[in-house]
């Protein structure tokens, strides 16, 4: 699945580069350099884990939250977008030798910066993007079994596609899809319940589906 997604998006980026090469140079500098969007996003982890000692896998809940992003246009087509949101997820270790283990909840703060190419020329403005993500884990509630759960700060990569639909010269609607490739090392101190501290290599790799409204400044 991951290889298919990557291959498809690489092809789309190639198409974007070809389209840019074919278009005539624009002398029109009258475009909005800033835009702001407010979106509702569904964050759906495509999770998996390698858990030492007790085996098993990870199960991480899907969540829905508001998200704010800021985009700066270097030219009419090329831009950079900073995405800000925080999400709360339930975490469970499933299929271990000790059964399913409730690992409580954790908050993720994943600021993401992408570079984008926007296809201009009409009210419908598609775009493609790629960038980096830094995820901070905080507000950990270790649940009823573990004494403590610790997640390492993670650096990941992001791919993005979407479109803006202009309602007028200032306001627009937005649909956006992102794929984050995100991995963290988790340490579960379960000395009281299991007599051991267990480490896990956890792939979170969420899909992020967003819909919202934006304004050009």
């Amino acid at each position: 699945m991951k290889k298919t997604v990557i291959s498809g998006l690489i092809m789309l980026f190639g198409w974007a580069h070809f389209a840019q090469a074919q278009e005539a140079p624009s002398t029109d500098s009258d475009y909005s350099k800033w835009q702001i969007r407010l979106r509702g996003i569904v964050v759906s982890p495509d999770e998996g884990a390698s858990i030492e000692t007790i085996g098993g896998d990870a199960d991480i809940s899907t969540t829905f939250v508001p998200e704010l992003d800021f985009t700066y246009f270097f030219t009419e087509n090329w831009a950079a977008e900073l995405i800000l949101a925080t999400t709360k997820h339930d975490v469970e270790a499933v299929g271990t030798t000790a059964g399913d283990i409730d690992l409580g909840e954790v908050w993720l703060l994943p600021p993401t910066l992408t570079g984008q190419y926007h296809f201009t020329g009409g009210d419908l403005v598609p775009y493609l993007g790629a960038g980096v993500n830094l995820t901070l884990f905080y507000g950990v509630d270790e649940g009823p079994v573990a004494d403590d759960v610790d997640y390492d700060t993670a650096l990941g990569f992001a791919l993005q596609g979407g479109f803006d639909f202009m309602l007028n010269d200032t306001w627009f609607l937005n649909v956006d899809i992102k794929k984050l490739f995100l991995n963290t090392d988790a340490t579960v101190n379960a000395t009281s319940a299991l007599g051991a501290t267990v480490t896990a290599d956890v792939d979170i790799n969420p899909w992020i589906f967003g819909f919202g409204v934006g304004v050009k400044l």
Side-chain angles (χ1 to χ4, degrees), residues 168-189:
N168 52 46
D169 290 339
T170 302
W171 294 93
F172 58 91
L173 300 177
N174 173 256
V175 174
D176 185 88
I177 300 175
K178 298 183 190 69
K179 176 67 173 181
L180 300 187
F181 299 96
L182 179 62
N183 173 276
T184 185
D185 292 325
T187 303
V188 181
N189 181 347

Side-chain angles (χ1 to χ4, degrees), residues 109 133-137 150-156 182-185:
L109 180 63
N133 160 266
L134 180 69
T135 296
L136 308 174
F137 299 83
D150 180 70
Y151 301 89
D152 289 350
T153 297
L155 180 66
L182 179 62
N183 173 276
T184 185
D185 292 325

Side-chain angles (χ1 to χ4, degrees), residues 101-153:
I101 303 173
D102 183 355
L103 296 179
E105 302 168 338
V106 61
W107 285 86
L108 276 64
L109 180 63
T112 303
L113 180 66
T114 61
Q116 300 174 331
Y117 183 83
H118 294 248
F119 299 86
T120 56
D123 290 337
L124 184 66
V125 185
Y127 58 86
L128 296 171
V132 294
N133 160 266
L134 180 69
T135 296
L136 308 174
F137 299 83
Y138 70 99
V140 179
D141 176 356
E142 64 275 359
V145 178
D147 300 313
D148 184 56
V149 181
D150 180 70
Y151 301 89
D152 289 350
T153 297

Side-chain angles (χ1 to χ4, degrees), residues 20-70:
Q20 183 210 16
Q22 298 303 309
E23 66 185 8
S26 174
T27 58
D28 183 12
S29 60
D30 185 20
Y31 60 90
S32 299
K33 290 187 176 294
W34 287 96
Q35 67 182 30
I36 300 174
R37 299 188 192 94
L38 178 63
R39 288 188 280 232
I41 59 172
V42 175
V43 182
S44 180
D46 184 15
E47 69 274 43
S50 175
I51 305 175
E52 293 185 355
T53 309
I54 61 174
D57 206 344
D59 183 72
I60 304 172
S61 66
T62 295
T63 190
F64 177 81
V65 297
E67 176 255 315
L68 185 67
D69 66 77
F70 301 87

